[in-house]
Amino acid sequence: MTDRPEFIPSCPIPLSDYPHVLLAHGGGGKLMHQLIERMIVPAFANPALNARHDSAVLDVSGVRLAFTTDGYVVQPLFFPGGDIGTLAVNGTVNDLAMSGARPLYLSASCILEEGLPLDTFWRVLQSMRQAADAAGVAIVTGDTKVVDRGKGDGIFVTTAGVGIIEHPLTIAPGSVRAGDAVLLSGDIGRHGMAIMTVREGLAFESTIESDCAPLAGLVAALLRAGLQLHCLRDLTRGGLASALIEIAEVARLGIHLREAAIPVREDVQGACELLGFDPLYVANEGRFVCFLPAGEAERALDILHESPLAKDACLIGDVREKDAGLVTMQSRIGAGRIVDMLSGEQLPRIC
Amino acid sequence: MTDRPEFIPSCPIPLSDYPHVLLAHGGGGKLMHQLIERMIVPAFANPALNARHDSAVLDVSGVRLAFTTDGYVVQPLFFPGGDIGTLAVNGTVNDLAMSGARPLYLSASCILEEGLPLDTFWRVLQSMRQAADAAGVAIVTGDTKVVDRGKGDGIFVTTAGVGIIEHPLTIAPGSVRAGDAVLLSGDIGRHGMAIMTVREGLAFESTIESDCAPLAGLVAALLRAGLQLHCLRDLTRGGLASALIEIAEVARLGIHLREAAIPVREDVQGACELLGFDPLYVANEGRFVCFLPAGEAERALDILHESPLAKDACLIGDVREKDAGLVTMQSRIGAGRIVDMLSGEQLPRIC
């Protein structure tokens, strides 16, 4: 370690609270939010990053591009419904789609742990190729590094993606308006519970499979119909609740949900109860929310229902001036409550 | 682990040889070459990847983009002349520049190990910001994941980059021609030896500092002068030798070097001899080779010499039809030899 040069400002998170990285800093809850808002965004501050969306939207010679990245550290590497390779491709494809972009090209950077069976790496590469083909993108550039045994965990994959935005809309949290309908593309909690039941060695009557899937086709269908999409967001780390809280904060509007309208499969609900999770906070890899004018909600649902990936799409709430910056929910028995961001780590290494 | 589905072709590297990942698979030598050529390229095969260059060159709505990624796992995180943050930014900036692109935007994905001091992460973020500012690029999107203690190594950073190509040249190994001059932008071996002397706890009269630097400005100056650049390549993992061997193989031409023309600083040469390294194979992070018509070599050198980053740029060899696919070198005492790719791991986790 060299001495710290004079010109580096000191770390903006008070080091007396949590001087070290905790698993919860990656969990999609309050600590991760704090890490992003108080360290990462201030460090890199620029307009694209400040938009706080899944992809940066950039103008390059008059072409509107979306650009995004995600690292994948899921354990186990293979799980019901997918593996780290399918996740790494679909996750980045979906982040591009959530900006209303048509995903075009992906990069893939792999960090391998010494001792990983080459055959495992090969299976992951094959999964990535198949997922890329299914999503209509090409993996055009990559990198591989190897770290010593015990300094990694099998394989970590980081993908980045480039897409093109071919419409004039600004699909982002800042475009959400009071009166918007909030649509959800299907049942929630499957990805997280697929991972957790494998990890915990739980057996149910049927295996819970991850919902991991590319969402760009659904978004393209909504755009082709000329719908005025205000915001899209996939429901990964932190689940439905965290995604909506982030959008409510950026939009400075209230998002009101009806709990009874949010579909959760019975086996997922059972697994959540057994393991002490709330499905609202459990990660998905093939679900998204869509904000658009209430008058267009029905048409959007009709379009979504045409795809097997969104056959259970539904209206789960609306946007109001009231309770700005908050997500509120009317429970099944009629009581109202504020949906808060989780402070801890709900599900480590879920993606 | 789920059963292997029927449709996955079997791993194309004979598993009886090396059934597991070795450190050498990341070292820039023969095993890494084999991993790329026999597993990764076949898995993702597409024209951009097949070009085997530092960046993929893509046409998006008539705009020529360069797109690249690299993962960084260097140890120690901080070393004389830089740290993992400066490396991660300059490395990707340089990969874009080597395609003749003007680097524009970077993504940054960090994999943190539980227990990393937050202050260390903050210093790395600050380094990335400073390196980005110096190179004239913006870090516009990112991601952070956390892995359990003992499943990572402090911090891994993966950057991806997007740049724009604003000239009609195809700067790539396939454009190299017999008769081309081979220019080198300065002395070699500093980055690798800066890392190794720290790791080995060696003290020399003066500290060897990494040459880590952004090269896009040098490339822009060469392009502005209207020079017919055929190929550019930065000399990272595997050093000068590996870079030239790859180019000779793709171009199917012979590259002939004069050893006496290749500058190596005395302290670097000394450290190499002490530790048993050949500077030809040692990683650099601020050096590149340039192939262009011999008649333009002098003008290119004049331009390079104007920058402190390339004040020692020199002509080190030429391209011939003879010895196609090989790199040959005339030694200081006049003997000729073939420069071969190293089979093992020379310097693990150098970048």
Side-chain angles (χ1 to χ4, degrees):
Chain A
M1 303 268 175
T2 55
D3 290 342
R4 175 197 290 205
E6 294 289 343
F7 53 84
I8 298 187
S10 65
C11 179
I13 293 183
L15 293 181
S16 51
D17 293 4
Y18 299 101
H20 299 99
V21 170
L22 309 176
L23 276 174
H25 279 116
K30 271 187 187 154
L31 275 177
M32 185 171 120
H33 196 66
Q34 190 191 55
L35 193 76
I36 294 171
E37 293 299 320
R38 290 167 65 180
M39 285 183 69
I40 300 174
V41 171
F44 297 149
N46 59 60
L49 197 65
N50 296 349
R52 309 273 199 294
H53 200 32
D54 284 345
S55 300
V57 175
L58 311 164
D59 184 304
V60 177
S61 266
V63 175
R64 274 176 92 203
L65 293 181
F67 181 34
T68 191
T69 191
D70 260 326
Y72 296 85
V73 299
V74 68
Q75 273 295 335
L77 297 176
F78 300 85
F79 49 81
D83 59 45
I84 192 170
T86 46
L87 263 192
V89 169
N90 286 333
T92 289
V93 161
N94 292 347
D95 280 348
L96 293 171
M98 294 303 116
S99 297
R102 180 161 62 89
L104 296 174
Y105 300 109
L106 260 53
S107 67
S109 163
C110 300
I111 298 176
L112 309 180
E113 184 190 8
E114 183 187 16
L116 176 78
L118 274 177
D119 190 53
T120 303
F121 184 38
W122 178 245
R123 288 170 63 196
V124 170
L125 292 174
Q126 289 297 311
S127 288
M128 293 181 74
R129 170 61 189 257
Q130 287 165 17
D133 287 349
V137 296
I139 298 172
V140 293
T141 187
D143 182 51
T144 305
K145 292 290 190 308
V146 180
V147 295
D148 336 43
R149 205 182 285 263
K151 301 292 186 183
D153 198 10
I155 173 166
F156 301 144
V157 181
T158 295
T159 45
V162 171
I164 185 166
I165 298 176
E166 299 167 304
H167 54 76
L169 303 176
T170 298
I171 298 175
S175 300
V176 171
R177 294 289 173 266
D180 278 1
V182 184
L183 309 184
L184 170 63
S185 71
D187 66 296
I188 59 169
R190 268 160 57 192
H191 176 70
M193 285 303 108
I195 302 279
M196 289 310 290
T197 52
V198 173
R199 272 199 214 151
E200 302 288 327
L202 296 180
F204 293 91
E205 272 184 36
S206 61
T207 307
I208 298 176
E209 292 208 340
S210 169
D211 59 336
C212 187
L215 301 172
L218 295 173
V219 173
L222 295 172
L223 287 167
R224 266 198 310 273
L227 295 166
Q228 295 300 304
L229 306 182
H230 288 167
C231 185
L232 302 167
R233 178 66 62 96
D234 57 342
L235 310 177
T236 55
R237 267 187 296 181
L240 175 65
S242 307
L244 293 180
I245 293 165
E246 280 180 32
I247 293 170
E249 286 180 358
V250 174
R252 296 170 194 273
L253 290 166
I255 298 176
H256 183 73
L257 304 178
R258 281 172 300 110
E259 188 177 18
I262 300 170
V264 182
R265 267 178 29 175
E266 219 170 286
D267 54 355
V268 172
Q269 185 69 50
C272 280
E273 281 168 14
L274 204 64
L275 296 168
F277 293 116
D278 181 340
L280 278 186
Y281 296 89
V282 174
N284 311 273
E285 291 291 339
R287 295 291 176 255
F288 69 105
V289 286
C290 169
F291 291 74
L292 82 178
E296 297 189 347
E298 203 164 331
R299 207 147 61 89
L301 288 172
D302 286 346
I303 291 164
L304 291 172
H305 292 157
E306 284 171 20
S307 163
L309 293 177
K311 62 181 169 46
D312 299 323
C314 53
L315 176 72
I316 60 166
D318 59 277
V319 180
R320 305 174 183 184
E321 298 280 0
K322 199 176 161 236
D323 300 322
L326 297 178
V327 176
T328 58
M329 188 163 75
Q330 187 186 13
S331 74
R332 287 174 204 280
I333 54 166
R337 70 169 174 104
I338 290 174
V339 178
D340 203 2
M341 200 163 271
L342 286 190
S343 56
E345 167 74 14
Q346 202 190 21
L347 293 168
R349 302 188 57 188
I350 207 72
C351 61
Chain B
M1 302 268 172
T2 53
D3 289 342
R4 175 197 290 204
E6 293 290 343
F7 54 85
I8 297 186
S10 64
C11 179
I13 294 184
L15 294 180
S16 51
D17 294 6
Y18 300 101
H20 298 98
V21 169
L22 308 175
L23 276 173
H25 279 117
K30 270 186 190 156
L31 274 178
M32 184 170 121
H33 196 66
Q34 188 189 55
L35 193 75
I36 293 171
E37 293 299 320
R38 289 169 63 182
M39 284 182 71
I40 299 175
V41 172
F44 298 148
N46 59 60
L49 198 66
N50 295 349
R52 309 275 200 290
H53 201 31
D54 284 346
S55 300
V57 175
L58 310 164
D59 185 305
V60 177
S61 265
V63 176
R64 273 176 93 202
L65 294 181
F67 181 35
T68 190
T69 191
D70 260 327
Y72 296 86
V73 300
V74 67
Q75 273 294 336
L77 297 176
F78 300 86
F79 49 81
D83 59 46
I84 192 169
T86 46
L87 263 191
V89 169
N90 286 333
T92 289
V93 161
N94 292 348
D95 280 348
L96 293 172
M98 294 303 116
S99 297
R102 179 162 63 87
L104 296 175
Y105 300 109
L106 261 54
S107 67
S109 163
C110 300
I111 297 175
L112 309 180
E113 184 190 8
E114 181 187 20
L116 176 79
L118 274 177
D119 190 54
T120 302
F121 184 38
W122 178 245
R123 289 169 64 195
V124 171
L125 291 175
Q126 290 296 311
S127 288
M128 294 181 73
R129 170 61 188 257
Q130 288 165 18
D133 286 349
V137 296
I139 298 172
V140 292
T141 186
D143 182 51
T144 306
K145 292 291 190 307
V146 180
V147 295
D148 337 43
R149 204 182 285 265
K151 300 292 185 181
D153 198 10
I155 174 167
F156 301 144
V157 181
T158 295
T159 45
V162 172
I164 185 165
I165 298 176
E166 299 167 304
H167 54 76
L169 303 175
T170 298
I171 298 176
S175 300
V176 171
R177 294 288 173 266
D180 277 0
V182 184
L183 309 184
L184 170 63
S185 71
D187 66 296
I188 59 169
R190 268 160 58 192
H191 176 71
M193 285 302 110
I195 301 279
M196 289 311 290
T197 52
V198 172
R199 273 200 213 150
E200 302 288 327
L202 296 180
F204 293 91
E205 273 184 35
S206 62
T207 307
I208 298 176
E209 292 207 340
S210 169
D211 59 337
C212 186
L215 301 172
L218 295 172
V219 173
L222 294 172
L223 287 167
R224 265 197 311 274
L227 295 166
Q228 296 300 305
L229 306 182
H230 288 168
C231 184
L232 303 167
R233 178 66 61 97
D234 57 343
L235 310 176
T236 55
R237 267 187 296 182
L240 175 65
S242 307
L244 293 179
I245 293 164
E246 280 179 32
I247 293 169
E249 285 180 359
V250 175
R252 296 169 193 273
L253 291 165
I255 298 176
H256 184 73
L257 304 177
R258 281 170 300 108
E259 187 177 18
I262 300 169
V264 182
R265 265 175 32 173
E266 220 170 285
D267 53 356
V268 171
Q269 185 70 51
C272 279
E273 280 168 16
L274 204 63
L275 296 168
F277 293 115
D278 180 340
L280 278 187
Y281 296 90
V282 175
N284 311 272
E285 291 290 341
R287 295 289 176 257
F288 70 105
V289 286
C290 169
F291 291 75
L292 81 179
E296 298 189 347
E298 203 164 330
R299 207 147 60 88
L301 288 172
D302 286 346
I303 291 165
L304 291 171
H305 292 156
E306 285 171 20
S307 163
L309 293 178
K311 61 182 171 44
D312 299 324
C314 53
L315 176 72
I316 61 166
D318 59 276
V319 180
R320 304 173 183 183
E321 298 280 0
K322 200 177 160 234
D323 299 322
L326 298 178
V327 176
T328 58
M329 187 162 76
Q330 186 186 15
S331 75
R332 287 173 204 281
I333 54 168
R337 70 169 173 103
I338 290 174
V339 178
D340 203 1
M341 200 163 272
L342 287 190
S343 56
E345 168 75 12
Q346 201 187 24
L347 293 167
R349 300 187 58 185
I350 206 73
C351 61

